Amino acid sequence: MLGELEELGYVQRDPGSKQYSTRAYRFYNLVINHHEHSDWSNLVLPVLEVMREESGEATVLSVPANGMMVYISYYPSDHVVVVRERLGAVRPMHCSALGQAYLAALRSEALDLELGRLRYEGGTDRAAKGPLELRARVEQARTQGYAVDRDETFEGVSCVATAVRIQGVAIGSVAVSGPSVRLSADRLAALGRLLVQHVAALERVV
């Protein structure tokens, strides 16, 4: 699969280390489809800055692309022990708080389509294995206003996310993420509520 992605130009392989990395610019054509993209992404950046300062953890803005969530803005944590991320990183919708938060913002018909398109590959044993299990998690995210990924994408990494709407349309999601040892269930819930408040304030002025 990585070989095919390399041929298509979405990843590159270092000739020395033989490790793969994403080519972020290749994903932008999938997610940037109108001239207003830079305008609304800049509006969201203050939310990432504030949440990074209040939580001490990394914050990210992601947008959907072919069953994945693509990082287009990222504010790293100041902690010594951090989860290393980068612009252009991708996370499967089914096993990430970013994806589940975005799905929770979709209308029923659009959600049904997305659940049927996803491949449910990747993630840990805690990841949703199919549309029924994922729908239950999406419904929970709808109820509480935010989605939680505790060791679903990677072992030892937790994340809480909420969708961002611009003029009523879900354009992606924002999240706080970090090592699970620092993000207990109670801490994730508190950050989730705070994230929802900041995003709601943003949506009232755009």
Side-chain angles (χ1 to χ4, degrees), residues 25-71:
Y25 72 90
R26 290 286 287 145
F27 290 94
Y28 294 156
N29 289 333
L30 298 176
V31 301
I32 301 174
N33 53 19
H34 54 77
H35 68 281
E36 296 177 349
H37 173 272
S38 60
D39 295 335
W40 62 250
S41 63
N42 287 335
L43 290 173
V44 181
L45 297 186
V47 174
L48 300 185
E49 293 177 351
V50 169
M51 285 302 302
R52 195 267 301 272
E53 293 303 314
E54 294 184 352
S55 69
E57 302 294 347
T59 56
V60 61
L61 166 64
S62 70
V63 292
N66 295 346
M68 298 285 184
M69 300 301 292
V70 184
Y71 284 27

Side-chain angles (χ1 to χ4, degrees), residues 14-29:
D14 184 273
S17 66
K18 306 301 182 182
Q19 293 184 336
Y20 288 93
S21 62
T22 56
R23 288 180 169 175
Y25 72 90
R26 290 286 287 145
F27 290 94
Y28 294 156
N29 289 333

Side-chain angles (χ1 to χ4, degrees), residues 57 77-83 178-179 181-182:
E57 302 294 347
S77 168
D78 291 329
H79 284 288
V80 175
V81 178
V82 299
V83 178
V181 293
R182 285 202 303 264

Side-chain angles (χ1 to χ4, degrees), residues 5-185:
L5 290 173
E6 184 179 20
E7 290 180 5
L8 293 171
Y10 289 101
V11 302
Q12 58 188 356
R13 192 178 191 187
D14 184 273
S17 66
K18 306 301 182 182
Q19 293 184 336
Y20 288 93
S21 62
T22 56
R23 288 180 169 175
Y25 72 90
R26 290 286 287 145
F27 290 94
Y28 294 156
N29 289 333
L30 298 176
V31 301
I32 301 174
N33 53 19
H34 54 77
H35 68 281
E36 296 177 349
H37 173 272
S38 60
D39 295 335
W40 62 250
S41 63
N42 287 335
L43 290 173
V44 181
L45 297 186
V47 174
L48 300 185
E49 293 177 351
V50 169
M51 285 302 302
R52 195 267 301 272
E53 293 303 314
E54 294 184 352
S55 69
E57 302 294 347
T59 56
V60 61
L61 166 64
S62 70
V63 292
N66 295 346
M68 298 285 184
M69 300 301 292
V70 184
Y71 284 27
I72 64 170
S73 294
Y74 173 68
Y75 285 74
S77 168
D78 291 329
H79 284 288
V80 175
V81 178
V82 299
V83 178
R84 295 188 180 277
E85 303 284 9
R86 61 182 178 275
L87 294 180
V90 295
R91 297 289 180 264
M93 282 189 185
H94 76 284
C95 64
S96 64
L98 290 162
Q100 292 171 31
Y102 169 74
L103 292 172
L106 299 180
R107 295 182 177 180
S108 295
E109 293 181 359
L111 175 60
D112 289 338
L113 287 174
E114 288 293 343
L115 293 178
R117 290 172 181 163
L118 298 180
R119 300 180 65 178
Y120 300 94
E121 296 177 349
T124 70
D125 291 341
R126 301 189 183 192
K129 303 301 189 296
L132 294 180
E133 188 175 358
L134 180 55
R135 177 179 284 279
R137 299 185 187 189
V138 169
E139 292 298 339
Q140 182 178 3
R142 280 179 171 172
T143 299
Q144 57 195 16
Y146 57 86
V148 173
D149 155 19
R150 189 158 182 80
D151 304 318
E152 290 182 33
T153 306
F154 300 112
E155 291 287 351
V157 179
S158 292
C159 180
V160 59
T162 191
V164 176
R165 298 173 179 84
I166 301 298
Q167 297 181 345
V169 178
I171 54 89
S173 53
V174 291
V176 176
S177 68
S180 297
V181 293
R182 285 202 303 264
L183 296 175
S184 65

